[in-house]
Amino acid sequence: MSSRPWGALVALVIAFPTSALAITPPQARCLATMERYGLQVVTAASRGALGCVRAAERGGIVPSDCFGAGVDGRLATTLRRLRLADARWCSRDGSQRPDAGYADDATLAAAARDAAVGVVADVLGADLATVPAPTRADARCQWAVVTGATRLLRALWTEAAGIAGTRVATATRRLDDDTRAACARSTTPLASLFALPCAAVATTTDVAACAVSVARRHFQRGHGDAHALAVPCDLTDDGDANLSCVPPELEEHVLNRLGYGPDPWTLGRLRALGVRAYVGEQLHPETIADDAVDAQLAQFPSLTMPFLDLRVHYPNRVVPGQPQSGDVLKELQRAKVLRAIASHRQLEHVLTDFWFNHFNILATDRRDYDISPYERLAIRPHVLGRFRDLLLAVIRSPGMGDFLDGRRNQADAINENFSRELLELHTIGVDGGYTEADVTAVAHVFTGWKENQATADGFEFLAAWHDRSAKQVLGLALPANGGYDEGVALIDLLASHPSTATRVARKLIIRFVSENPPPRLLTAATDAYLATGGDLRAVMETILLSPEFLADPANRRSKVKRPLHLMASLARATHAEPATLNLDRVRRRVRELGEDLYGFAAPPGYPDVSGYWTGAGSMLFRFNFIELAARGADGIVPALPADVGATTTLAGPSTLAGTSDALVDALIGDLFLAPVSAATRDTAVAFADLFGSVGTPGRTAETAAVLLSSPEFLVH
Amino acid sequence: MTITRRTFLKTSAAAGLSAFILPRLGARHAFAAQQTPVLVALYLRGGADGLNLVVPAGDPFYYASRPTIAVPHGSELVLDGFFGLNPMLAPLLPLYAAGALAFVHLAGSPDPSRSHFDCQDFMERAAPGNRSHVDGWLARWLAGAGGGRAIAGITLRHTRAKALLGSAPSLAFPSLDGFTLTGNAVAERRAVLEARYDDVRVGTAGQLLGDAGTLAFDAMDVLAGVDRATSALYPTSELGLALKDAAALVKADIGVRAIAVDLGGWDHHTDTLRRSADVAPDLAMSLAAFHADLGAHAASTLTLAMTEFGRRVAENGTDGTDHGHGGVMLALGGGIAGGRVVLRGAWPGLAPDALFRGQDLPVTTDFRNVFAEALHRHLAASTTALASILPGFTIDPSAFPGLWS
C-alpha cells in the first residue's frame, strides 16, 4: 500500500491555514505512519461494529457490550501493531514527534475507534433498537445505509491520509445509489428503521443525506481528536462547512460588521436563522419590520417632508419655541444616532452611512433643507439597488447640486467642480483614464441639470441652460441636441466602467472586510458588479458570504471602531432603552471624537482606515466618554446590573456575586459575545480591587467602563 | 570681553528691549540659544486663490480677467509698488511692515494635477507626482532630528496630518484642554488602562490602539503642565483656538519641534467674495494674534502657510475660479527678513501666452525650495538630511527663495 507522507501534511495545512508548520522528514514519517494505522483502527472497528449489527439481527446480544468489549476484542491485534508503530516511528527519540498533528497512540486509537462505532450507532441506534427490522427488505435497506456510511467514513479518512483507496466522491455516490435501490422496496416508514439524528428522515433522499452528514461529522470529530486538530464546531456539528454552528467570534464579527454591534434582537435573529439566512434577511431590509424605531422617528417630522414643506415648517427665522431651519439638520443627526442604536435594519443603516460618505455633501445653513431629502431620496432607497440608479439620483439631487455647484452649471457659465469630483471620486477615479478635456466635457454634458423644489426629487432639466453642441467625452460621441439624455448616457457609461466597479468593490471591502482588500475577493466582488450591471445587493452578497469575511480570523477585530459605531455599540451592549437616549448628547460626543455627522467638509467623506481614527488625543476622549456613558451621565442610560441584584442581559439573567473576579466575569458575559483576553480581564479585576470593596457605589459602572475601554471593545 | 548674543541678552535690562531689537537684527540666529526652533505648517485646504490674496495691482490683465471678482482697484493695501494685499488680510499688514512676514508668489508644485487630494498628498509628502512615498516631509525630518519623542510633532486635529505621518511617532489632538483623563476614579483608571495599552495584541487593529494609547499616557502629564494663559486676543474660530494652543505649546519649551494646523474652506468655485470673507479675515487675525502671543518665541518659530494649488486666472461663470497651478505661500516669524513679496524672476504678466497651459499662474518657486530653506536655515538640517527629506529633489541653495537674506 503506497503512502504519501504529504497527505498528512496537507491535512494539517488545511487545518492550520495561517500557521507555518515547519516539519522535518522524521516527523512527516511519524504522521504518515500514524494516519495509516489510524485508518486500520477505523477499518477494524467498523468491521466489529457491523458484526454487532449482524449479531443483533440474529438476536441475543447486548448491544452496549458488543460495541464495547466486543469491538475492543476485534481491535486487539491492530492496537498492538499501532503501539509498535508509535514506538518505532514517533516515540523512539524526541525528534520524531511533530509539534502538532499527533498526540499519542492511545488518543489516536480511541478517537478512530469511537468514530467508527459512532457512525453505526448514529445510523441504527446506540442500543440497536431498530434491529432486527420487520422485514427482509427492511433489513437490506438498513444494511445498505449502515455499510455505505461506514464506507464513506473510511474513504474520508483515507483521503485525509493521502492514501490510495476509495475516493470520497465515489463512496458518497454509492451510499446514495445503494440506499435508493435497497430502500425503495421497503414498506415500513423509513423513520422507524433508523435512529438518524436529522430532522427529516421520510424519504430515501433524506436518509442518504443524513447518513452522509453522520459520516462526515464523525470523521471531522474523530480525525480531529485523533490528530489533535482544532476542528471548528461548524464542521463537527453536521460535518459540513455550512455555518450550522456559529462560534461566538463569528457572531460578534457578523453583528459588528453588518451593524453597530450585538443587541438582543439581532443576536436572537442571527441564532435563529444562522449566518447565511441572517445575511440574506439584512440584504432585504424591506422585509424587516422596524416599528419601534419608526414610532420614535415620528417625532422628527422633517425626515419625511417634501422640499417646499420644509421651508414652510422650518423657516429660516429664529422664533423661540418654534422649529427653524437649523432643526432639520438636528433631526437628521438625531435620527442617525437613533437608527444606529435601535434599528433592526442594521445593514441598511451602515450602507446608508457608507454611500452618503462616498457621495459626501456638507450641511451648511443654506443646505440644511437639502441634506435630509438627499439621504431619504437619493441615498437610502438605492443602497441595495443598482449603482447606476444611485448615481443618477445623487446627480439630480439639490443637495449635491448645491454642494458641488452643479445646479449653477450652465452653457455659457461652466462650473467644473462637480464634473471633476464625479470622475475623480464618485466613479472611475484618478487612474480611470480621464483627461482635463473630459472634465470640461462632462461639465458641458450636465449643463441645465438644476434644482426645482416643487418637483418630487427637487430636480428639473432646464433646456435653456443646456449646451446643445455635440460632445466627446471618455470616448463617447454625443451628437448635438442630446438634451437630458446625454447625462443619462454618460451616467450609464460611468456606472458600467470597470474602474468604477473596482473602486466600488474596493471601498466596500475596506468597510466590511479588511483595510487591505484580499485580491481574490476584490476580483470576485468586481466581477459580481460587472456581471450584474452594477447590482449592489449582488456585490454585497458576494462580499458578505465570502470565506474572507466569514472564515478568516485575520479579518476579525481588524478595524478600529469609528466614533458613531463605538457609541452605538456601547448603547447596544448595555441595553440602553432607546426612549431614554439623549440623542443630541450622543451626537455631540461622536463629533468630539472626530465624526461630525453630516459635517465632513470634503467631498471624499471620512476615510475608512483605522489609522485615521486613532490619535493619541482620541484615545483619551474615548476613555472619558465611555466612562460617562457607563454611569449613565451622558445621554446613554445603560442597563447594567446593579451592584446587587439581577437584570436581563444579552445572554440571559445574571446575578452578581461580590468578589472582583465574579463581578468582572459577570460583566464580561454581559458586554461581550466573544472571549476577551486574559490581559483585559486581569485589568478589570485589578481595577475593581483598586476601586473599592463590594457595595461601593459605582463599582459596577466604573468596572464596566474599564472593560468597555479595553481594546476588544474599541475594535471590530 | 566679547559680547556674545547670550551675554547681551542676559544683561539687557528690559525683556522688552530684546523683543524690540531681535526682529531688527533680523538675519541669522535671531533667537536665543536656549530656544529650540519650531516650524508651524499651516495648510490652507482647497486651493487658496493667491492672485486675490497678494494682488498684482500693477497688472491690467488681472482686472481684465476678473471683472467681477478682482479685488477692486484702489482697495488693495499697498505692499510694494506692484503688489497689494487683499484688505480682508489687513491684520497681516503690521507684521509685513515690521519685517516679520513675507509672501512667496508663483510658488507651488511642478506637478500639473488639479486634484485636491493628489496635490495635498504630494505637498505633504514633498514628492510631487510620486505616489510611492507615503510618509510626510516633517515626519522624515523628525525621524532624524526629533529625538524619537512623540511630543516633537503635533497635529492640532483629531487625526495626524499627512506631513507628520511616518516612522517617527507624533501626537494628534484637537485641543490641549481635552488631553487628559476625566470622570471618576481617574487615578485608578489611568493606572490600569496605561498598563493594558502597553502591549495590545487584539487583532490587527490592536497594535494601532496600543501605540496610540501609550503615546497618550506618556504625553498626558507633559501636556497637562503647559500654561495656557495668554493675553493675546484670538478669534474663536477653529484656527484661532488651534494657534492659541500652538503658542502655548511653543512657549512651554517642552520639546515641540513641528506643529501642523489646518484652515479649510478655500475651494472657491463660486462666490469668491463671500467665501473669502469666511476664511481670509480668520487667517489674518489668527496669525496676528499668534505672532503677538509668541512674544520672545516669535523669532524661533517659523510659520509656513501653503496650499495645494492656486486658482485659475480667469473667473468662471459663477463668480469663482476653477483649480489652477501657481499660488502664494506665506512665511511668518523665524527671524526672516520679511516685508517683501518674494518672486523668482520678473512678474511674467497675465496675458494667456505667459500662463501655464494658457490658463493658470506658472510656478517659478518649487514649494520644496521653500521647505528646503526653512529646514536648512531655521531647523538646521544638513544638506545630506535635506536630500532624504526631499527625495528626488536637487538641493540648490541658489533656488531657495532667500527668506532670510
Side-chain angles (χ1 to χ4, degrees):
Chain A
M1 184 196 282
S2 68
S3 74
R4 279 160 272 151
W6 305 113
L9 185 55
V10 167
L12 285 166
V13 171
I14 288 168
F16 296 104
T18 56
S19 69
L21 278 174
I23 194 160
T24 66
Q27 291 171 341
R29 241 187 327 270
C30 162
L31 278 177
T33 308
M34 300 325 285
E35 280 272 20
R36 266 191 7 248
Y37 279 94
L39 178 63
Q40 288 184 13
V41 172
V42 169
T43 309
S46 294
R47 230 178 267 136
L50 288 171
C52 297
V53 173
R54 278 291 188 235
E57 283 173 352
R58 291 190 296 273
I61 64 145
V62 181
S64 56
D65 286 351
C66 187
F67 281 149
V71 167
D72 286 342
R74 288 278 204 131
L75 285 178
T77 323
T78 314
L79 292 180
R80 198 165 50 242
R81 274 193 256 129
L82 179 85
R83 277 194 298 275
L84 287 171
D86 171 81
R88 182 170 170 206
W89 295 106
C90 299
S91 306
R92 194 176 16 197
D93 66 62
S95 73
Q96 291 177 319
R97 192 180 297 273
D99 291 329
Y102 175 64
D104 58 72
D105 55 307
T107 310
L108 175 78
R113 174 208 186 286
D114 289 345
V117 173
V119 167
V120 175
D122 273 1
V123 174
L124 294 174
D127 53 359
L128 291 177
T130 59
V131 178
T135 70
R136 297 272 316 263
D138 294 338
R140 274 197 293 274
C141 170
Q142 286 178 329
W143 190 247
V145 175
V146 76
T147 51
T150 304
R151 189 185 307 115
L152 177 55
L153 173 71
R154 279 207 321 279
L156 286 161
W157 210 287
T158 305
E159 216 164 74
I163 302 168
T166 314
R167 296 182 55 89
V168 170
T170 314
T172 312
R173 207 173 43 246
R174 260 195 81 179
L175 169 56
D176 208 55
D177 294 343
D178 290 355
T179 304
R180 239 177 270 285
C183 299
R185 288 182 220 104
S186 202
T187 49
T188 320
L190 292 173
S192 63
L193 288 180
F194 297 99
L196 290 166
C198 297
V201 198
T203 66
T204 53
T205 313
D206 295 337
V207 169
C210 191
V212 167
S213 83
V214 162
R216 295 192 83 94
R217 181 159 48 88
H218 280 282
F219 162 70
Q220 292 287 3
R221 221 180 266 160
H223 189 266
D225 288 346
H227 291 280
L229 301 172
V231 184
C233 70
D234 179 39
L235 289 175
T236 59
D237 200 40
D238 61 4
D240 276 323
N242 56 4
L243 298 168
S244 54
C245 165
V246 183
E249 293 84 351
L250 182 56
E251 287 179 337
E252 180 189 85
H253 176 68
V254 168
L255 295 177
N256 256 326
R257 293 289 173 96
L258 269 75
Y260 294 91
D263 80 335
W265 189 86
T266 48
L267 182 60
R269 207 72 192 127
L270 176 60
R271 286 180 174 166
L273 296 175
V275 171
R276 284 183 208 280
Y278 178 81
V279 170
E281 183 174 80
Q282 287 287 319
L283 283 171
H284 287 273
E286 68 280 3
T287 64
I288 303 172
D290 211 13
D291 301 332
V293 164
D294 288 343
Q296 283 202 267
L297 290 176
Q299 64 178 302
F300 304 131
S302 68
L303 291 177
T304 50
M305 262 185 205
F307 292 90
L308 286 175
D309 290 20
L310 281 171
R311 285 154 171 84
V312 169
H313 295 280
Y314 292 81
N316 203 345
R317 187 176 60 246
V318 179
V319 176
Q322 299 283 28
Q324 38 162 304
S325 62
D327 293 332
V328 177
L329 175 62
K330 287 206 182 93
E331 290 187 1
L332 188 63
Q333 289 168 324
R334 287 170 191 161
K336 183 162 183 145
V337 172
L338 177 64
R339 282 180 165 123
I341 292 177
S343 171
H344 294 334
R345 299 178 183 151
Q346 289 275 295
L347 180 60
E348 179 186 70
H349 191 64
V350 174
L351 285 171
T352 304
D353 177 69
F354 173 88
W355 284 111
F356 188 102
N357 218 36
H358 179 82
F359 292 109
N360 188 56
I361 68 174
L362 170 68
T364 61
D365 26 50
R366 291 198 333 168
R367 214 153 29 237
D368 275 357
Y369 292 129
D370 297 331
I371 200 163
S372 194
Y374 179 71
E375 188 180 86
R376 178 177 88 249
L377 298 172
I379 305 286
R380 186 176 291 110
H382 302 292
V383 299
L384 287 166
R386 288 195 306 160
F387 180 78
R388 177 244 183 234
D389 295 334
L390 173 59
L391 185 59
L392 179 61
V394 162
I395 299 175
R396 286 169 63 106
S397 71
M400 180 59 76
D402 182 60
F403 182 58
L404 290 179
D405 309 318
R407 66 168 187 191
R408 294 168 63 167
N409 184 23
Q410 48 182 309
D412 52 358
I414 293 292
N415 183 301
E416 290 177 13
N417 194 4
F418 171 68
S419 62
R420 183 181 305 280
E421 309 309 3
L422 171 66
L423 296 174
E424 183 180 332
L425 300 175
H426 300 157
T427 57
I428 55 181
V430 279
D431 298 324
Y434 65 88
T435 64
E436 286 298 316
D438 287 323
V439 172
T440 310
V442 169
H444 282 272
V445 166
F446 285 113
T447 46
W449 285 51
K450 64 187 293 294
E451 84 173 47
N452 179 343
Q453 286 144 25
T455 65
D457 64 348
F459 172 81
E460 82 167 341
F461 176 73
L462 190 57
W465 278 21
H466 184 71
D467 175 351
R468 288 171 215 263
S469 60
K471 304 169 189 73
Q472 267 282 353
V473 50
L474 291 166
L476 180 68
L478 294 167
N481 294 312
Y484 173 77
D485 292 334
E486 280 180 4
V488 175
L490 181 57
I491 286 170
D492 283 332
L493 171 72
L494 291 171
S496 56
H497 197 289
S499 293
T500 304
T502 310
R503 288 185 75 243
V504 166
R506 174 180 297 276
K507 280 186 85 166
L508 285 169
I509 290 172
I510 288 174
R511 171 65 76 109
F512 287 96
V513 184
S514 162
E515 292 172 14
N516 289 309
R520 187 215 74 89
L521 181 56
L522 181 57
T523 308
T526 305
D527 289 347
Y529 181 107
L530 292 169
T532 60
D535 182 337
L536 295 171
R537 179 176 283 127
V539 176
M540 288 309 300
E541 193 171 342
T542 304
I543 291 172
L544 295 176
L545 296 179
S546 68
E548 288 88 349
F549 178 72
L550 292 174
D552 188 352
N555 292 330
R556 296 178 193 168
R557 289 180 170 169
S558 64
K559 290 174 71 74
V560 170
K561 279 183 186 169
R562 292 159 61 138
L564 176 61
H565 190 142
L566 176 65
M567 299 312 282
S569 66
L570 189 150
R572 288 163 73 79
T574 58
H575 322 277
E577 258 302 313
T580 64
L581 295 167
N582 184 328
L583 298 171
D584 202 53
R585 203 173 278 170
V586 176
R587 172 199 64 87
R588 255 184 279 140
R589 292 299 178 224
V590 168
R591 189 188 65 194
E592 284 169 48
L593 282 168
E595 191 174 2
D596 191 1
L597 301 179
Y598 307 104
F600 190 82
Y606 283 107
D608 208 353
V609 290
S610 295
Y612 178 84
W613 298 104
T614 338
S618 26
M619 292 303 288
L620 296 177
F621 276 41
R622 278 181 173 86
F623 298 148
N624 291 340
F625 295 152
I626 288 171
E627 193 262 344
L628 279 171
R631 56 183 164 91
D634 204 39
I636 293 175
V637 181
L640 288 175
D643 284 77
V644 178
T647 190
T648 44
T649 69
L650 279 174
S654 83
T655 54
L656 287 177
T659 65
S660 299
D661 285 276
L663 170 65
V664 168
D665 284 334
L667 283 172
I668 287 176
D670 236 34
L671 299 169
F672 295 91
L673 265 185
V676 301
S677 58
T680 292
R681 186 189 174 280
D682 294 344
T683 301
V685 171
F687 174 82
D689 286 340
L690 279 173
F691 184 82
S693 57
V694 180
T696 315
R699 187 162 170 262
T700 308
E702 298 297 336
T703 309
V706 168
L707 278 170
L708 293 167
S709 302
S710 69
E712 284 89 342
F713 197 76
L714 298 191
V715 301
H716 73 113
Chain B
M1 108 182 156
T2 336
I3 301 209
T4 63
R5 169 114 284 131
R6 201 176 216 147
T7 51
F8 175 86
L9 285 168
K10 275 190 183 160
T11 57
S12 72
L17 179 65
S18 50
F20 174 77
I21 286 177
L22 285 168
R24 286 305 167 82
L25 289 172
R28 298 155 295 249
H29 316 301
F31 47 87
Q34 64 265 32
Q35 278 177 1
T36 0
V38 179
L39 188 129
V40 177
L42 169 56
Y43 209 105
L44 308 176
R45 305 235 173 238
D49 185 15
L51 207 55
N52 261 20
L53 295 176
V54 180
V55 170
D59 188 334
F61 270 100
Y62 168 68
Y63 301 97
S65 316
R66 295 182 168 197
T68 321
I69 66 168
V71 174
H73 193 59
S75 71
E76 75 278 358
L77 306 170
V78 173
L79 288 177
D80 58 21
F82 184 78
F83 290 107
L85 187 66
N86 188 317
M88 292 188 203
L89 295 177
L92 292 180
L93 201 55
L95 298 171
Y96 180 88
L101 176 72
F103 300 101
V104 183
H105 222 310
L106 301 187
S109 167
D111 189 271
S113 168
R114 290 191 181 133
S115 152
H116 288 297
F117 320 104
D118 274 350
C119 293
Q120 286 176 18
D121 285 358
F122 291 156
M123 189 170 275
E124 295 201 75
R125 293 166 182 168
N130 188 332
R131 283 171 220 260
S132 60
H133 294 279
V134 292
D135 51 352
W137 70 286
L138 287 172
R140 275 181 238 131
W141 172 63
L142 280 176
R149 300 181 63 214
I151 203 143
I154 297 185
T155 307
L156 289 170
R157 272 169 34 202
H158 280 104
T159 186
R160 280 171 299 171
K162 288 190 177 159
L164 279 169
L165 269 180
S167 56
S170 67
L171 295 177
F173 51 87
S175 78
L176 273 173
D177 280 340
F179 204 88
T180 183
L181 211 58
T182 56
N184 296 344
V186 168
E188 294 89 343
R189 273 162 57 225
R190 192 226 167 118
V192 303
L193 289 174
E194 187 165 5
R196 179 68 189 93
Y197 277 86
D198 200 36
D199 182 19
V200 179
R201 299 183 202 189
V202 172
T204 48
Q207 178 81 51
L208 277 169
L209 289 176
D211 292 344
T214 307
L215 276 181
F217 288 115
D218 285 348
M220 216 167 85
D221 297 322
V222 178
L223 292 174
V226 169
D227 180 13
R228 279 150 237 202
T230 175
S231 54
L233 275 174
Y234 287 89
T236 51
S237 59
E238 254 183 63
L239 178 64
L241 296 171
L243 286 177
K244 187 196 274 192
D245 278 349
L249 287 166
V250 169
K251 291 190 286 180
D253 285 321
I254 47 174
V256 176
R257 306 299 315 277
I259 301 178
V261 190
D262 265 15
L263 177 59
W266 293 91
D267 192 22
H268 300 166
H269 284 272
T270 62
D271 304 320
T272 300
L273 260 152
R274 186 179 56 84
R275 291 184 176 215
S276 301
D278 286 338
V279 284
D282 184 13
L283 172 67
M285 288 193 283
S286 300
L287 282 178
F290 180 57
H291 188 79
D293 195 7
L294 284 172
H297 283 78
S300 59
T301 309
L302 176 71
T303 302
L304 284 181
M306 62 199 78
T307 192
E308 61 264 37
F309 37 64
R311 303 193 78 82
R312 211 160 292 179
V313 172
E315 66 188 36
N316 66 16
T318 50
D319 297 348
T321 45
D322 199 29
H323 303 173
H325 194 55
V328 163
M329 291 175 76
L330 176 159
L332 172 67
I336 60 169
R340 303 175 283 149
V341 176
V342 175
L343 181 62
R344 188 172 174 79
W347 179 256
L350 297 177
D353 52 355
L355 296 179
F356 178 75
R357 291 183 172 167
Q359 294 179 311
D360 303 330
L361 291 178
V363 168
T364 59
T365 300
D366 189 309
F367 72 90
R368 287 172 291 178
N369 277 315
V370 183
F371 287 3
E373 189 171 41
L375 286 162
H376 186 59
R377 294 295 300 266
H378 184 68
L379 298 176
S382 68
T383 27
T384 338
L386 285 180
S388 61
I389 297 170
L390 305 171
F393 186 62
T394 314
I395 312 293
D396 174 15
S398 69
F400 290 178
L403 289 167
W404 279 268
S405 33

